[in-house]
Amino acid sequence: MLQVQDLHVTYPTPQGKVYAVNSINLEVAAGETVGIVGESGCGKSSFARAVMRLLEPSAERIVIGDVDVTSLPKRKLRPLRQRIQMVFQDPAASLDPRFTVGQLIGEPLTLTERHRAVRDKRVLALMDDVGLPVALFDRFPHQLSGGQRQRVAIARAIAPRPDIVLDEPVSLLDVSLQAQVLNLLVDLQQQYRMAYLFVSHDIGVVQHIADRIAMMYLGSIVEIAPYADIMESPQHPYTQALLQAIPVMDPRCSRIADKQILTGDVPSPLTIPSGCAFHTRCRFAIDRCRRSVPPLHSIGSDSLVACHLSAPSTESP
Ligand SMILES: Nc1ncnc2c1ncn2[C@@H]1O[C@H](COP(=O)(O)OP(=O)(O)O)[C@@H](O)[C@H]1O
Ligand code: SF4
Ligand SMILES: [Mg+2]
């Protein structure tokens, strides 16, 4: 289980403060996958890295499993890697080229298992889990294909059965490999009930794996809902526009009748627009949108949206 409350990330730059993540609240249950989707630069990686404490966020609360890690000092973070792991976009960059496959997958296990022979046995079982031939045990990352490298990164990540943050894990793989790796992730999750926070700029990728989808715009979640609801009836104008850009393959989902095209560039996170941050690109914007920030409010049992034009749910909680 993963829980984040009021998380912010800012970067000081010579041009001023970059507001990369602005107050994100999110919970991912054991065995659940939440897809974080948005255009490039909207703060997805900053959010993912902040949850991992790879950079220092400011947050009310970050809870991994049952441990509050919000202000855990750096030296206490290594044991935390038993509870949360990250898979990056580029496995070539995230795997140390000096180590063999066996050493790379075995490394996270050194904390809990001191005996080499026992560790190696676990490594072989993990290689089997992710579909890596045993013959690759002594190979180095540069001797592997891109797909095999990402399988090593996944085997490494799942070794301690933690929750997992995946930042664009298939976007550098070609399409046939993408499907294989996504299927592998689904199988592993069913086996081990890990929580996945799955970041992607491509909603088409996330739709095959996510239980819920959170749409991110300029550092904030603007809509979060079960996958089928987002695909069938997206409520936020940004979600509606982004969905128009992808071919909808899933036969459960109908197309959105009223076609909308997303125009204009994402504004700079140095100066986030007033009111609703999306108002500069929203074709429905009214005067109120420029003045007041729409809160993320409930519009049904599992759906939240931040738009002045969406009526709040009248259901009792
Ligand atoms: N180290 C950094 N210093 C300054 N700005 C950064 C840094 N890292 C990211 N940013 C800026 O923060 C914003 C969010 O970036 P990022 O989290 O990488 O977005 P995404 O993963 O959605 O593409 C972008 O405007 C990016 O330029
Ligand atoms: S609050 Fe206004 S500008 Fe923002 S998405 Fe809704 S209609 Fe568009
Ligand atoms: Mg990114």
Side-chain angles (χ1 to χ4, degrees), residues 16-250:
K17 219 186 223 182
V18 171
Y19 294 90
V21 178
N22 304 304
S23 189
I24 286 197
N25 296 285
L26 186 67
E27 201 170 310
V28 189
E32 186 188 27
T33 299
V34 173
I36 305 279
V37 177
E39 290 162 288
S40 178
C42 72
K44 302 180 299 296
S45 293
S46 301
F47 175 55
R49 295 172 71 85
V51 170
M52 295 295 299
R53 294 275 318 270
L54 292 174
L55 51 83
E56 284 308 314
S58 87
E60 185 74 22
R61 235 161 99 79
I62 304 175
V63 178
I64 313 287
D66 51 5
V67 181
D68 188 330
V69 302
T70 321
S71 46
L72 219 57
K74 276 226 155 68
R75 67 194 150 79
K76 296 239 173 100
L77 287 176
R78 189 164 142 77
L80 177 68
R81 299 292 169 247
Q82 296 294 304
R83 293 175 178 274
I84 188 152
Q85 285 276 339
M86 184 155 173
V87 175
F88 296 88
Q89 180 175 26
D90 183 1
S94 66
L95 298 175
D96 192 325
R98 296 167 303 168
F99 293 107
T100 63
V101 168
Q103 288 167 329
L104 286 164
I105 301 175
E107 193 270 334
L109 301 171
T110 53
L111 217 58
T112 49
E113 183 51 70
R114 291 175 52 219
H115 297 289
R116 170 89 190 267
V118 182
R119 258 199 335 260
D120 284 355
K121 221 169 139 195
R122 284 258 354 250
V123 169
L124 290 171
L126 283 161
M127 288 178 71
D128 187 47
D129 273 352
V130 301
L132 280 171
V134 174
L136 300 183
F137 189 91
D138 290 318
R139 300 274 175 86
F140 289 91
H142 74 270
Q143 296 172 304
L144 308 179
S145 69
Q148 287 170 335
R149 279 199 287 262
Q150 199 56 304
R151 283 172 197 266
V152 172
I154 292 169
R156 226 177 107 78
I158 64 166
R161 312 272 182 269
D163 296 330
I164 304 195
V165 174
L166 303 128
D167 189 358
E168 311 261 9
V170 298
S171 52
L172 291 182
L173 304 178
D174 66 40
V175 175
S176 62
L177 280 176
Q178 283 192 1
Q180 283 179 26
V181 171
L182 289 173
N183 289 338
L184 169 66
L185 289 167
V186 171
D187 288 349
L188 291 168
Q189 189 181 44
Q190 278 167 1
Q191 212 172 330
Y192 301 126
R193 276 188 61 72
M194 299 170 288
Y196 285 170
L197 187 66
F198 192 113
V199 166
S200 179
H201 69 280
D202 180 355
I203 197 168
V205 165
V206 172
Q207 66 179 325
H208 297 294
I209 186 165
D211 300 300
R212 284 188 295 151
I213 291 184
M215 301 300 303
M216 218 173 145
Y217 188 75
L218 274 178
S220 301
I221 291 178
V222 296
E223 178 166 10
I224 178 161
Y227 153 76
D229 294 356
I230 286 262
M231 301 304 280
E232 182 65 34
S233 60
Q235 296 298 308
H236 196 281
Y238 179 60
T239 318
Q240 292 170 356
L242 266 199
L243 277 174
Q244 288 297 326
I246 59 149
V248 178
M249 310 279 207
D250 191 327

Side-chain angles (χ1 to χ4, degrees), residues 265-288:
D265 292 330
V266 185
S268 163
L270 282 164
T271 44
I272 296 198
S274 62
C276 172
F278 188 56
H279 85 249
T280 55
R281 301 169 82 193
C282 181
R283 65 179 189 146
F284 302 112
I286 50 176
D287 200 37
R288 182 179 171 201

